[in-house]
């Protein structure tokens, strides 16, 4: 810092400021700059939400909450838009769980009967030991009862099927963690009545005081009635009033009474209010009795307040949990009411594994998605939520106004369904340029995409008829409409440039930027050049995705020099001269002004001159665009047919697989039945054989005993014969050896072992069998009896 001395010399004095002051000044400047940056960012964020009408959508979704605190909490949550990627995933998991609860039907997340504001007041009063009123105690009772019922319903559901525990997560943990003091519930029920008054049974002092008040009131009323009867005449009008808890009599203006009393009030034209002297003692006693009632009621409420105070933390936690459940249920109810689809959000800059994980977390609810490597934004048949809500409201109003017998088709014709848009953006695309006529639906397309991105980020279902895939955007910036800034003396063009400049500064590689009529409001050539430069800047690292609408034809050419660009246009019906509101992808829009003017009857001289001025090259480009549109339409028609045939083929293939499965099952059942029949027959045969064997064994034992008896008899007979042998003739002696020899020969033939292939007779079966194998050492053979193979002893068969 330079300064000069006061004398006339040429001395220059160098002075250095205090370092602390310099540092403080620098810090102050940085703080001011940071505040300014934050203010600009908040302003851009607020303006973007406003032009996208996010506030209206937030109000619509919040209306599905059943508590006042839930509506406020949901509005704050939706308006903040500051969720991280992980928080957005958690919000969607909560919404999915609430949808599952809706479908199951056993656990109702409806809390409309709870006065959350009164509960909050009761909690604050209990913390400061201020008496809780009967209405507040009833609100706490409703809260605890609702939590207890919800927890009980969930436990019963999980008891029936344990899978519901995981399907309702993370809401299961929220509900199961509720700590409910059932003794406090009983205490409030015993003390507070349904209308919020204190029950007589709350305390003996209260019951006694109230009974005393009732007796005194009857005495005072009887006294007043007797006084009125004594003073009543044809012209007098006397009424019994209660002023500040004291019974008195009101008379007409100018009317005189015979009884003495205290004048409480007097007014000309109205009359006087008198408290009779005879009623003063009773009124005083009644006041004292009422004071005792008030004291007894205060004692009851104080005791109840202290009991609530002991559980105030648990009550506050229950309130917060039920408000949280109300918020989640409101998001789910909105999605179900408007036919929303669970969005699959992902981070494009993450590795494939984590991206794939985020994409597959909710596939079971919405079915498979296309390959996530192909699309960065997959939004088929998406509706603008406010247009759909407006359509439903208008349709409801029409149904109320018109005749009930009006057909559905007539209602649809009176209130046509909004046209859904298709946004299928490939991974390589960073900028989409949409062209088309005014009122053709370009701005609605921008808003639909912007609202869908914010809905997915906030845990809401996206209103689309199919599964959607949306990248998680940290911010959605929009410059839409005529945003003149009168306070800053900015024109339309300047206002747009200021907004776009701020968006460019605030956007990141994870942002979505929506620009309406980029480059408009100034010289067409300069506007086109500025628009091209801006879009190229955004394409090269400015943000994740930019969608811009324009009328500048030069912007259509960017696609052919930069693969990060994609063209789209709004379809226009040239026959009926009106837009169809459908998006045609890969095709730049063409000018329809001259053709429309010709169809509307503009003189041919003007039309021809316009076409000459427009240029033959531009006309040729329009012809090429026309051919491209026809090819696109033919492609869409063939694609639709292919999809139809593919669905038929899948149906037939499924039927064939089902039939083949039934045939295989039938064949298996027949084979099993045959095996069971054979097994049963074999078991029966074995049983019969075992029975026969036992019978043969028993018979063999009897035969052996009989043979022994015969043998002993034969021995004695033989001895007798030998004794008489000397008296026999020689011829008889010669005959006996021959007979014995013949018998032995026959026995040997019968007992000889059979050979393989021989036919033998099994007496126990009563049939012939064929010998398959002979085991001579064991004296066993294997035979074939019909379909059965049996192992028998050689002694059990007879040779044929």
């Amino acid at each position: 810092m330079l300064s000069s001395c006061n004398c006339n010399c040429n001395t220059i004095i160098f002075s250095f400021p205090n370092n602390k002051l310099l540092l403080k000044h620098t810090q102050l400047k940085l703080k001011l700059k940071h505040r300014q940056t934050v203010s600009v960012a908040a302003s851009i964020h607020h303006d973007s939400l406003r032009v996208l009408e996010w506030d209206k959508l937030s109000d619509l979704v919040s209306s599905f909450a059943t508590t006042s605190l839930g509506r406020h909490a949901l509005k704050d949550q939706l308006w903040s838009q500051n969720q991280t990627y992980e928080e957005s995933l958690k919000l969607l998991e909560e919404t999915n769980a609430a949808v599952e609860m809706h479908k199951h039907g056993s656990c109702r997340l409806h809390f409309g009967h709870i006065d959350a504001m009164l509960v909050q007041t009761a909690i604050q009063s209990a913390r400061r030991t201020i008496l809780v009123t009967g209405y507040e105690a009833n609100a706490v009772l409703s809260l605890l009862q609702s939590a207890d019922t919800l927890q009980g319903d969930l436990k019963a559901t999980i008891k029936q099927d344990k899978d519901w525990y995981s399907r309702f997560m993370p809401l299961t943990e929220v509900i199961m963690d509720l700590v409910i003091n059932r003794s406090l519930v009983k205490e409030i029920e015993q003390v507070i009545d349904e209308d919020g008054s204190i029950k007589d049974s709350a305390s003996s002092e209260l019951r006694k005081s109230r009974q005393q008040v009732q007796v005194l009131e009857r005495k005072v009323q009887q006294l007043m009635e007797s006084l009125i009867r004594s003073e009543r005449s044809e012209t007098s009008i006397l009424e019994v009033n209660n002023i500040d808890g004291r019974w008195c009599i009101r008379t007409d203006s100018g009317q005189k009474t015979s009884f003495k009393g205290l004048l409480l009030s007097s007014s000309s034209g109205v009359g006087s209010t008198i408290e009779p002297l005879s009623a003063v003692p009773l009124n005083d006693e009644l006041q004292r009795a009422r004071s005792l009632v008030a004291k007894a009621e205060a004692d009851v409420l104080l005791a109840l307040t202290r009991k609530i105070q002991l559980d105030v933390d648990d009550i506050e936690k229950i309130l917060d949990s039920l408000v949280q459940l109300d918020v989640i249920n409101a998001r789910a109810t909105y999605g179900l009411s408007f036919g929303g689809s669970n969005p699959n959000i992902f981070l494009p800059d993450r590795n494939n594994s984590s991206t794939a994980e985020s994409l597959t977390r909710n596939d079971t609810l919405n079915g498979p998605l296309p390959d996530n490597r192909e699309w960065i934004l997959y939004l088929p048949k998406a509706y603008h939520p406010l247009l759909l809500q407006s359509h439903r409201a208008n349709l409801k109003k029409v149904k109320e106004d018109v005749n009930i017998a009006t057909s559905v088709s007539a209602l649809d014709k009176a209130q046509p369904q909004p046209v859904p848009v298709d946004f299928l953006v490939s991974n390589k695309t960073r900028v989409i340029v949409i062209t088309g006529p005014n009122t053709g639906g370009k701005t609605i397309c921008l808003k639909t995409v912007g609202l869908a991105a914010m809905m997915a980020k906030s845990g809401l279902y996206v209103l689309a008829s199919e599964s959607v895939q949306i990248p998680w955007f940290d911010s959605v910036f929009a410059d839409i409409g005529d945003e003149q800034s009168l306070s800053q003396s900015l024109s339309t063009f300047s206002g747009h440039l200021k907004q776009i400049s701020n968006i460019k500064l605030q956007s990141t590689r994870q942002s979505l930027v929506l620009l309406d009529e980029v480059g408009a409001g100034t010289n067409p050539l300069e506007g086109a050049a500025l628009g091209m430069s801006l879009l190229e800047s955004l394409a090269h690292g400015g943000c994740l995705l930019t969608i811009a609408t324009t009328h500048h034809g030069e912007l259509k050419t960017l696609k052919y020099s930069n693969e990060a660009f994609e063209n789209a246009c709004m379809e226009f019906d040239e026959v009926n001269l009106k837009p169809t509101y459908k998006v045609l992808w890969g095709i730049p829009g063409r000018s329809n002004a001259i053709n429309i003017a010709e169809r509307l009857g503009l003189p041919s001289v003007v039309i021809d001159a316009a076409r000459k001025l427009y240029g033959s090259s531009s006309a040729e480009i329009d012809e090429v665009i026309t051919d491209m549109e026809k090819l696109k339409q033919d492609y869409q028609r063939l694609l639709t047919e292919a999809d139809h045939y593919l669905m038929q083929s899948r149906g037939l293939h499924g039927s064939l697989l089902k039939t083949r499965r039934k045939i295989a099952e039938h064949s298996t059942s027949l084979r099993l039945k045959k095996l069971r029949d054979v097994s049963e027959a074999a078991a029966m045969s074995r049983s019969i054989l075992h029975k026969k064997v036992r019978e043969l064994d028993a018979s063999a034992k009897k035969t052996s005993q009989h043979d022994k008896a015969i043998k002993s008899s034969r021995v004695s007979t033989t001895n007798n014969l030998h004794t008489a042998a000397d008296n026999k003739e020689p011829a008889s002696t010669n005959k006996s050896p021959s007979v014995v020899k013949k018998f032995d020969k026959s026995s040997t033939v019968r007992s000889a072992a059979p050979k393989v292939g021989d036919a033998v007779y099994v007496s126990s079966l009563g049939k012939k069998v064929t010998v398959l194998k002979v085991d001579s050492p064991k004296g066993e053979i294997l035979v074939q009896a019909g379909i059965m193979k049996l192992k028998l002893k050689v002694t059990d068969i007879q040779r044929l």
Side-chain angles (χ1 to χ4, degrees), residues 147-185:
D148 193 24
T149 301
L150 179 60
Q151 195 177 75
D153 292 341
L154 180 59
K155 288 179 179 178
T157 302
I158 296 173
K159 187 176 180 180
Q160 293 177 356
D161 188 351
K162 294 182 179 179
D163 290 341
W164 289 112
Y165 184 92
S166 58
R167 295 182 67 177
F168 289 162
M169 286 293 287
L171 303 190
T172 307
E173 291 182 345
V174 175
I175 297 173
M176 288 301 190
D177 288 344
L178 298 177
V179 179
I180 303 153
N181 188 348
R182 292 178 177 82
S183 62
L184 179 60
V185 173

Side-chain angles (χ1 to χ4, degrees), residues 677-691:
D677 294 342
V678 171
S679 178
E680 291 174 359
M684 187 180 294
S685 300
R686 283 194 296 271
S687 177
I688 294 172
L689 285 175
H690 290 161
K691 183 178 179 182

Side-chain angles (χ1 to χ4, degrees), residues 296-354:
E297 289 179 347
D299 292 340
V300 171
L301 291 177
L302 179 60
L304 184 60
T305 301
R306 286 173 177 169
K307 291 181 179 180
I308 293 175
Q309 191 177 38
L310 294 175
D311 294 311
V312 69
D313 291 334
D314 290 337
I315 294 173
E316 188 173 32
K317 183 179 178 182
I318 292 173
L319 177 62
D320 293 340
S321 298
L322 293 193
V323 169
Q324 178 188 0
L325 292 173
D326 189 29
V327 168
I328 296 169
N329 182 63
R331 298 199 307 260
T333 306
Y334 169 76
L336 291 173
S337 300
F338 285 88
S341 174
N342 177 30
N344 292 269
I345 58 175
F346 66 100
L347 280 176
D349 58 343
R350 289 200 172 187
N351 55 49
N352 293 334
S353 60
S354 62

Side-chain angles (χ1 to χ4, degrees), residues 92-104 154 157-158 161-173 361-362 364-365 461:
L92 286 173
E93 287 177 357
E94 294 172 348
T95 306
N96 292 335
V99 170
E100 288 294 319
M101 283 191 173
H102 270 276
K103 293 179 180 178
H104 189 272
L154 180 59
T157 302
I158 296 173
D161 188 351
K162 294 182 179 179
D163 290 341
W164 289 112
Y165 184 92
S166 58
R167 295 182 67 177
F168 289 162
M169 286 293 287
L171 303 190
T172 307
E173 291 182 345
R361 297 181 78 163
N362 302 312
T364 54
L365 294 176
Y461 277 14

Side-chain angles (χ1 to χ4, degrees), residues 16-225:
F16 296 90
N18 193 318
N19 291 335
K20 292 183 178 180
L21 293 176
L22 180 61
L23 180 61
K24 189 175 181 180
H25 178 68
T26 305
Q27 290 176 346
L28 182 61
K29 287 179 64 177
L30 291 174
K31 187 179 292 186
L32 291 174
K33 185 176 181 180
H34 176 70
R35 286 182 180 179
Q36 185 178 6
T37 304
V38 172
S39 176
V40 171
S43 176
I44 295 299
H45 176 75
H46 181 273
D47 290 342
S48 297
L49 295 182
R50 179 178 53 80
V51 297
L52 290 173
E53 299 178 288
W54 180 248
D55 53 339
K56 296 180 181 178
L57 183 58
S58 298
D59 291 340
L60 173 61
V61 177
S62 300
S63 66
F64 285 87
T66 56
T67 65
S68 56
L69 293 182
R71 286 188 287 273
H72 289 300
L74 185 52
K75 280 184 181 180
D76 293 340
Q77 181 188 90
L78 294 175
W79 188 254
S80 65
Q81 284 293 304
N82 59 355
Q83 298 87 2
T84 64
Y85 171 68
E86 287 74 17
E87 289 172 345
S88 296
L89 286 178
K90 184 179 179 182
L91 291 174
L92 286 173
E93 287 177 357
E94 294 172 348
T95 306
N96 292 335
V99 170
E100 288 294 319
M101 283 191 173
H102 270 276
K103 293 179 180 178
H104 189 272
S106 62
C107 302
R108 296 184 69 250
L109 300 176
H110 189 277
F111 311 110
H113 58 285
I114 299 176
D115 193 333
M117 296 295 292
L118 273 181
V119 175
Q120 199 173 49
T121 304
I123 292 172
Q124 295 171 356
S125 299
R127 288 191 186 280
R128 292 179 290 179
T129 321
I130 299 175
L131 293 184
V132 173
T133 66
Y135 299 108
E136 294 169 354
N138 259 348
V140 172
L141 176 64
S142 298
L143 177 78
L144 297 177
Q145 288 176 336
S146 298
D148 193 24
T149 301
L150 179 60
Q151 195 177 75
D153 292 341
L154 180 59
K155 288 179 179 178
T157 302
I158 296 173
K159 187 176 180 180
Q160 293 177 356
D161 188 351
K162 294 182 179 179
D163 290 341
W164 289 112
Y165 184 92
S166 58
R167 295 182 67 177
F168 289 162
M169 286 293 287
L171 303 190
T172 307
E173 291 182 345
V174 175
I175 297 173
M176 288 301 190
D177 288 344
L178 298 177
V179 179
I180 303 153
N181 188 348
R182 292 178 177 82
S183 62
L184 179 60
V185 173
K186 293 180 181 179
E187 184 71 23
I188 297 176
E189 289 176 339
Q190 292 173 358
V191 172
I192 305 299
D193 212 339
E194 293 181 356
D195 59 355
S197 62
I198 302 175
K199 294 182 178 179
D200 292 341
S201 58
S203 71
S204 58
E205 294 81 2
L206 179 61
R207 183 189 296 107
K208 183 179 178 181
S209 300
R210 284 181 174 176
Q211 289 174 352
Q212 185 180 2
V213 167
Q214 291 173 358
V215 171
L216 291 172
E217 284 182 343
R218 282 196 296 268
K219 288 182 179 180
V220 174
Q221 287 176 356
Q222 292 172 0
L223 176 62
M224 294 296 177
E225 290 174 358

Side-chain angles (χ1 to χ4, degrees), residues 539-551:
H540 296 120
C543 60
L544 179 60
L545 182 63
T546 301
I547 305 177
T549 66
T550 184
H551 284 292

Side-chain angles (χ1 to χ4, degrees), residues 448-501:
T448 301
V449 176
L451 292 175
M454 291 190 293
M455 290 169 72
K457 183 179 180 181
S458 304
L460 293 172
Y461 277 14
V462 176
L463 305 190
S465 57
E466 297 181 18
S467 301
V468 300
Q469 177 177 313
I470 301 178
W472 181 86
F473 297 104
D474 59 359
S475 298
V476 177
F477 298 106
D479 176 51
I480 297 174
D482 187 5
E483 295 296 318
Q484 293 192 42
S485 178
L486 299 179
S487 61
Q488 299 182 20
S489 301
L490 297 176
S491 65
T492 301
F493 179 70
S494 300
H496 279 295
L497 284 185
K498 181 68 176 177
Q499 182 78 354
I500 292 173
S501 176

